[in-house]
Every structure is written in structure tokens, then in C-alpha cells.
């Protein structure tokens, strides 16, 4: 959270408000995510010698150095220019998953060069013309060697984030003097923009005018993209993509069950970091019922509110295979610039290892045996009438 404070001081107001703001005006969903993690207690066991435990793990048959990853972020270069490159490079060096958002300022192909071993790709729903754009993105992902495909499900309609609107950056985006002044007030942001160029959604360039301004790109997105993938569409992407397929945005055990029956490989339990609607449960509170329903058939990843290695340990103790973060990585960029993501990864890994040690676990698998008190947890019994 110190990185968050520092990022707020160093970034232009619009950049911080874009990366940090939630849905609903009071950021209740974000506070709920954090509060839910903070309320979870784990009981340590003593009596054996513990050397600093390793954090290595395997996800979808691939070895990573920790069950920690970068969640997909659309337009992260608005928050900090060059974000995609810096995040991808740090993830590759540390060998943790980096999920490129489809709305990004580098192409899938460039990301695959920077992070060949750890690149995952997130897609939104581009349903026009029989998913022409979506299916082309799947082909490009396969050709580039992307390691997992993530379909975002939890954006059925657009949302308004009051802090973004008040900062002047959204609805609609127009580069006006207020934003220019705001940018000039932040040398780190400005210098990084001079180094990396004005951010554009270049991953979508084959499908729109190569010189599209940000405003035109936003209009393109409004026209071409939207809605949540239907069950039939998920089945279609399953057929089209041979690698690991992850559905992002699952909060109901019955949805998790049905997605698993379609042959997907992973579920991301998330409330989009509190950015879509303020009334959703914290994703960590939704985890136990889903983990029980899925019963080890697919890989479970949790995000939304993860700020520390202790939070990662809480996710694993409650049945997840990995925990990802969005805002924490953007805060690290805002606070420390290019070297922020590597610092954030080190923090998460070191804290995870020391939490394992403190709890008396010699490996991450032993976290599953830890006695946990989780006051906000949904249980399967809460869903009994709907299953
Ligand atoms: C600035 C920003 C942009 C995001 N854009 C996307 C996106 O394009 N696609 C997506 O699936 N999720 C997006 N997310 C949500 C993240 O993938 C992730 O679910 C969320 O950040 C997790 O919560 P946390 O920020 O508390 O870690 C975005 C999050 C942020 C902060």
C-alpha cells in the first residue's frame, strides 16, 4: 500500500484515477475485496525445522517460479506508458505468468518476443461477422506461442467509473488542455511516454485504421466489442484453441460447473477488481464454494484485492492454484517506474515464502492443510436452490 501512496504522488491525476478507481463512486467493491482478505486468519503449526520454503509451482503443465501472476489490464500504458513491455519483461525474468490484455499498446507478437515462456493472452468478445476478429486473434495467439488464452466474461455491459469520468479521461476520451497539463505535472509519466510513444491499441491494428487516435480506437471498441461470451461461444473458442483455456469472471458455482463441462482448463474467480459493479462478493469469499464444486477438475486462479504474499497464501489455503493481481502491479509502475514490476514480484514471492515458513508449511501444497477461519465465505449450501 506504500507503493499505492507513492504512485498517487508521482502519476498524473488521470492516470492514477484510471488505474485505481472502481465502479460505483465510493469504491465499496474494492474495499470489500481488501477487507475480505484481511479478515481471513490462518493458524500456524510449530515443532519442525523449516528452511525458507520454495514457491515453485506448475500451471497447465508449465513450471513457474511462484503461483503469482499479472492479471490482464486494458490500456495499462495510460496508467504508465510502456507498462506492457515492463510487465512482460519482469514476468519473463521472474518466470511468472503475464496476461497481456487485448487492449494493449504492444502487439501480441511483440509481447511473445519479450515474454515467450510466460505470455498468456486475454480476449474480450468481438462477436461481429461470426467472431471474425476474435477467431483471428486466436490464430495469432497460437502462431505467437501464447501459453494460455483467457476469455473475459464479466463485462456483459459497459460500466461507469466515476473517478475516471471526474479525472477527464473517459466518456468520451478527448486529449484536452486539462489532460495535457496533468501529464506535464508528472515527469516520470512524461519521460516514459517520450520513450515508449503515445499509447495506441496496436494489438487491434489489423482490424482498424493504423493511425487511429485514441478517441477513434475507443469508438472502434464500442462498435466491435461487447457482451459476455455465451455458452455456445465458449464451446466455439474451446474448439478453435488447442492450448489451455481460462474463463475469467466466474463467481457462481453453477457457472463454474457448466464451464468445466465444456472442457475449459481454468477458471479465474474475480470481480474485475471491483471495477464493474460495486455489489459483487469479494472473489476470495466466492472461492470456497467454487473450489468445492469444481473439486480439482480444473486450475483455479483468484484475483481482486491481492496485495501481498499473505493474500496469495490465503488464496492457496482456500483451494486456489494461483493468485493474480492487477492494480498492485500498476501501483509498482507508478511508484518506481520501469523497475516497479520486478520489485512487486520479489515482494509477493518473498512474502509468500516467509508466510509458508511462519505457518509451518515446507511447500505451497501444505497450505491446503492449514486451518483457516474465513468469516465471509460463501458455501455450496448458499446456492442449493439454484444448482
Ligand atoms: C486499469 C485496469 C484495467 C483493466 N482492464 C482489464 C481488461 O482489459 N480485461 C480484463 O479481463 N480485466 C481487466 N482488468 C481487471 C484485472 O484483470 C483484474 O481482474 C483486477 O485488476 C484484479 O483486481 P486487483 O486490481 O485488485 O488486483 C483491469 C484492471 C485494471 C486495474
Amino acid at each position: 500500500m506504500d507503493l499505492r501512496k507513492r504512485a498517487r504522488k508521482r502519476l498524473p491525476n488521470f492516470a492514477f484515477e484510471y488505474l485505481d478507481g472502481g465502479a460505483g463512486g465510493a469504491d465499496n467493491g474494492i474495499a470489500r475485496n481488501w477487507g475480505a482478505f484481511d479478515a481471513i486468519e490462518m493458524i500456524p503449526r510449530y515443532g519442525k525445522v523449516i528452511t525458507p520454503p520454495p514457491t515453485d509451482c506448475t500451471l497447465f503443465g508449465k513450471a513457474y517460479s511462484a503461483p503469482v501472476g499479472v492479471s490482464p489490464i486494458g490500456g495499462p500504458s495510460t496508467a504508465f506508458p510502456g507498462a506492457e513491455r515492463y510487465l512482460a519483461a519482469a514476468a519473463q525474468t521472474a518466470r511468472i505468468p503475464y496476461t497481456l490484455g487485448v487492449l494493449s499498446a504492444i502487439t501480441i507478437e511483440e509481447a511473445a518476443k519479450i515474454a515467450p515462456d510466460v505470455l498468456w493472452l486475454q480476449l474480450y468478445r468481438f462477436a461481429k461477422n461470426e467472431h471474425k476478429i476474435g477467431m483471428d486473434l486466436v490464430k495469432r495467439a497460437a502462431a505467437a506461442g501464447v501459453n494460455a488464452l483467457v476469455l473475459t466474461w464479466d463485462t456483459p455491459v459497459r460500466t461507469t467509473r466515476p473517478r475516471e469520468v471526474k479525472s477527464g479521461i473517459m466518456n468520451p476520451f478527448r486529449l484536452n488542455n486539462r489532460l495535457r497539463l496533468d501529464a506535464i505535472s508528472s515527469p516520470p509519466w512524461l519521460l516514459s511516454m517520450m520513450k515508449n510513444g503515445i499509447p495506441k491499441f496496436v494489438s487491434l491494428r489489423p482490424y482498424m485504421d493504423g493511425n487511429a487516435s485514441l478517441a477513434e480506437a475507443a469508438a472502434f471498441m464500442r462498435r466491435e466489442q461487447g457482451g459476455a461470451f455465451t455458452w455456445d461461444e465458449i464451446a466455439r473458442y474451446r474448439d478453435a484453441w488447442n492450448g489451455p483455456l481460462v474463463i475469467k469472471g466466474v463467481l457462481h458455482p453453477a457457472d463454474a460447473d457448466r464451464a468445466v463441462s465444456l472442457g475449459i482448463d481454468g477458471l479465474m474467480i474475480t470481480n474485475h477488481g471491483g471495477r464493474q459493479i460495486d455489489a459483487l462478493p469479494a472473489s476470495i469469499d466466492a472461492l470456497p464454494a467454487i473450489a468445492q464444486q469444481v473439486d480439482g477438475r480444473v486450475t483455479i486462479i483468484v484475483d481482486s484485492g491481492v496485495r501481498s504474499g499473505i493474500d496469495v497464501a490465503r488464496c492457496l489455503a482456500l483451494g486456489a492454484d494461483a493468485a493474480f493481481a492487477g492494480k498492485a502491479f500498476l501501483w509498482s509502475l507508478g511508484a518506481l517506474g520501469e523497475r516497479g514490476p520486478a520489485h512487486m514480484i520479489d515482494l509477493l514471492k518473498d512474502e509468500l515464502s516467509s508466510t509458508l515458513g511462519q505457518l509451518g508449511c515446507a511447500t505451497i501444497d501444505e497450505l491446503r492443510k492449514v486451518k483457516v477461519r474465513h468469516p465471509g465465505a460463501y458455501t455450496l449450501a448458499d446456492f442449493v436452490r439454484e444448482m
Side-chain angles (χ1 to χ4, degrees):
M1 297 304 265
D2 286 347
L3 292 175
R4 178 172 182 251
K5 272 192 214 140
R6 198 172 144 92
R8 173 172 255 155
K9 271 197 211 131
R10 282 167 48 99
L11 286 175
N13 184 54
F14 68 77
F16 187 77
E17 295 300 278
Y18 172 62
L19 79 87
D20 196 68
D27 287 349
N28 291 323
I30 294 176
R32 189 176 303 118
N33 285 338
W34 295 343
F37 272 113
D38 292 341
I40 295 168
E41 301 164 358
M42 297 178 282
I43 299 193
R45 302 297 302 271
Y46 303 117
K48 57 183 177 190
V49 175
I50 299 269
T51 47
T55 58
D56 310 61
C57 71
T58 303
L59 297 170
F60 306 125
K62 198 155 184 120
Y64 292 99
S65 72
V68 164
V70 184
S71 293
I73 295 159
S77 280
T78 307
F80 194 78
E84 294 90 340
R85 288 191 184 103
Y86 303 142
L87 288 165
Q92 172 70 20
T93 305
R95 252 198 121 78
I96 64 152
Y98 168 61
T99 319
L100 180 74
V102 71
L103 308 180
S104 57
I106 59 173
T107 61
I108 300 166
E109 292 76 13
E110 181 182 349
K113 280 199 188 111
I114 303 173
D117 299 311
V118 300
L119 181 65
W120 297 14
L121 175 69
Q122 173 264 334
L123 294 188
Y124 276 125
R125 179 172 176 270
F126 294 91
K128 282 206 174 151
N129 300 321
E130 285 293 300
H131 291 260
K132 195 164 174 248
I133 294 178
M135 287 296 146
D136 192 58
L137 286 162
V138 170
K139 270 195 211 133
R140 284 173 61 195
V146 164
N147 296 285
L149 195 66
V150 178
L151 301 183
T152 296
W153 214 25
D154 58 0
T155 52
V157 292
R158 286 180 202 289
T159 191
T160 303
R161 298 182 195 112
R163 284 173 58 191
E164 277 176 2
V165 176
K166 283 187 212 155
S167 78
I169 194 167
M170 287 287 169
N171 289 359
F173 176 82
R174 260 188 228 108
L175 189 59
N176 53 26
N177 283 342
R178 178 175 160 205
L179 293 185
R180 283 194 190 97
L181 269 177
D182 206 358
I184 292 168
S185 72
S186 166
W189 190 96
L190 206 58
L191 282 174
S192 205
M193 203 212 23
M194 285 156 73
K195 203 162 145 193
N196 290 281
I198 294 178
K200 298 201 165 147
F201 296 143
V202 301
S203 54
L204 296 171
R205 194 165 268 170
Y207 322 113
M208 64 182 178
D209 174 6
N211 293 318
S213 66
L214 268 183
E216 284 160 349
F220 168 86
M221 290 303 296
R222 277 196 296 277
R223 228 176 26 244
E224 297 290 335
Q225 174 259 325
F229 292 92
T230 64
W231 293 112
D232 287 348
E233 289 167 350
I234 292 175
R236 190 167 163 200
Y237 278 79
R238 172 66 295 176
D239 282 348
W241 171 253
N242 285 327
L245 184 67
V246 179
I247 304 296
K248 175 174 186 277
V250 179
L251 289 173
H252 197 298
D255 285 346
D257 201 50
R258 188 158 173 190
V260 172
S261 74
L262 292 176
I264 59 128
D265 305 282
L267 294 169
M268 246 175 126
I269 303 177
T270 166
N271 58 31
H272 216 101
R275 290 170 69 83
Q276 282 301 112
I277 150 168
D278 230 2
L280 302 183
S283 41
I284 190 68
D285 288 349
L287 168 65
I290 296 177
Q292 198 185 339
Q293 182 67 28
V294 165
D295 196 21
R297 287 175 290 162
V298 295
T299 297
I300 295 184
I301 299 161
V302 173
D303 82 11
S304 298
V306 172
R307 294 151 297 165
S308 66
I310 300 180
D311 290 343
V312 176
R314 287 171 167 133
C315 292
L316 269 54
L318 289 167
D321 298 289
F324 282 27
K327 286 191 282 291
F329 283 104
L330 293 175
W331 296 332
S332 79
L333 279 162
L336 303 171
E338 192 172 337
R339 66 194 169 87
H343 178 71
M344 191 70 224
I345 296 169
D346 284 348
L347 269 182
L348 291 172
K349 282 172 63 173
D350 291 350
E351 280 176 8
L352 175 60
S353 176
S354 86
T355 305
L356 286 166
Q358 290 289 344
L359 292 172
C361 299
T363 64
I364 53 173
D365 292 339
E366 287 186 15
L367 273 170
R368 292 277 170 97
K369 293 190 218 143
V370 168
K371 172 76 187 157
V372 183
R373 186 154 74 174
H374 184 180
Y378 280 82
T379 66
L380 270 185
D382 295 320
F383 297 91
V384 123
R385 274 181 301 151
E386 297 140 69
M387 299 288 286

